[in-house]
């Protein structure tokens, strides 16, 4: 069984913020996301974040990006 993605081990609130950052940057700017996580005390490599961004993008595409964005907005309220 493959190991769990490190990003999936992040606290849910932090992962939600990461999701929002990745979406705001069209699933790119991985270097910035990596630096931001490091500032928050979580050292996760570029490759791991990139793989997660691809997964997030696929999930958003299957659900419709608008649906995912609406769910994110509801979580923030």
């Amino acid at each position: 069984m493959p190991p769990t993605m490190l990003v999936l081990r992040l606290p849910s609130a932090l992962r939600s913020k990461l999701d929002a950052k990745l979406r705001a940057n069209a699933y790119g700017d991985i270097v910035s996301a990596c630096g931001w996580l490091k500032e928050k005390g979580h050292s996760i490599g570029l490759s791991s974040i990139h793989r997660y961004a691809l997964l997030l993008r696929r999930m958003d595409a299957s659900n419709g990006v608008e649906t995912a964005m609406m769910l994110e907005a509801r979580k923030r309220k």
Side-chain angles (χ1 to χ4, degrees), residues 7 22 27 30 45-56:
V7 175
L22 290 170
Y27 310 96
I30 305 301
L46 292 172
S47 296
S48 293
I49 296 172
H50 183 256
R51 281 191 301 272
Y52 178 73
L54 292 174
L55 174 66
L56 180 65

Side-chain angles (χ1 to χ4, degrees), residues 7-29:
V7 175
L8 296 177
R9 294 181 185 174
L10 291 171
S12 61
L14 187 62
R15 195 170 73 231
S16 292
K17 289 178 183 178
L18 175 62
D19 291 354
K21 285 183 170 297
L22 290 170
R23 287 179 180 125
N25 290 306
Y27 310 96
D29 199 9

Side-chain angles (χ1 to χ4, degrees), residues 32-43:
S32 175
C34 185
W36 178 78
L37 282 173
K38 190 170 247 182
E39 289 173 8
K40 301 293 182 186
H42 298 275
S43 183

